[in-house]
Amino acid sequence: MFLFISGGEIVFILFIVVMVFGADKLPEIARGLGKGMRQLKDATNDVKNEIQRSAERNGVDTSFTKDIKETVDEVKDDLEQFTGSVKRKL
C-alpha cells in the first residue's frame, strides 16, 4: 500500500491517465516527471550544502546534527523492526 492507495486504485488512475493522454505520450510525461524530480532533489541538496558551508564559515558547530541523525536512524530501524513483526502476525 503506497500513500493509502490500494493496487486497484493505482490501476484505475493509470487507466484514466492512458485514456486522457494516450499511450504514446506516457514515456514523455514520465521522462518529464523524472527530470523535474531530479532537479528538485539537486536544488534541495544545493541549498543544504550552502547552509552547511555557511555555518562552517561562521564557526557554527554542526557536529550535533550527526548525532541527531544517528539517533533518528536508530529509532527508525527499531520502528521498522517492530512494525515488520506486527505486519507478519497479521
Side-chain angles (χ1 to χ4, degrees):
M1 198 149 107
F2 178 74
L3 295 176
F4 306 110
I5 298 176
S6 70
E9 292 168 337
I10 291 174
V11 170
F12 180 72
I13 291 169
L14 289 174
F15 175 74
I16 297 299
V17 168
V18 169
M19 295 301 292
V20 171
F21 295 109
D24 42 323
K25 291 280 185 179
L26 285 181
E28 184 180 329
I29 292 170
R31 198 173 306 114
L33 284 173
K35 199 179 228 183
M37 289 173 57
R38 184 62 174 164
Q39 288 175 346
L40 181 64
K41 184 177 180 182
D42 291 343
T44 304
N45 286 335
D46 287 345
V47 169
K48 196 184 318 181
N49 290 335
E50 182 60 33
I51 291 171
Q52 185 73 25
R53 281 189 299 241
S54 176
E56 289 172 358
R57 265 184 279 160
N58 293 322
V60 176
D61 182 25
T62 59
S63 61
F64 67 91
T65 59
K66 292 178 184 177
D67 295 335
I68 293 172
K69 183 175 178 358
E70 290 173 1
T71 304
V72 168
D73 289 341
E74 289 175 13
V75 170
K76 187 167 41 168
D77 290 341
D78 291 343
L79 185 62
E80 286 177 1
Q81 288 175 354
F82 176 74
T83 57
S85 65
V86 170
K87 288 178 184 176
R88 279 185 237 120
K89 289 179 182 176
L90 294 175

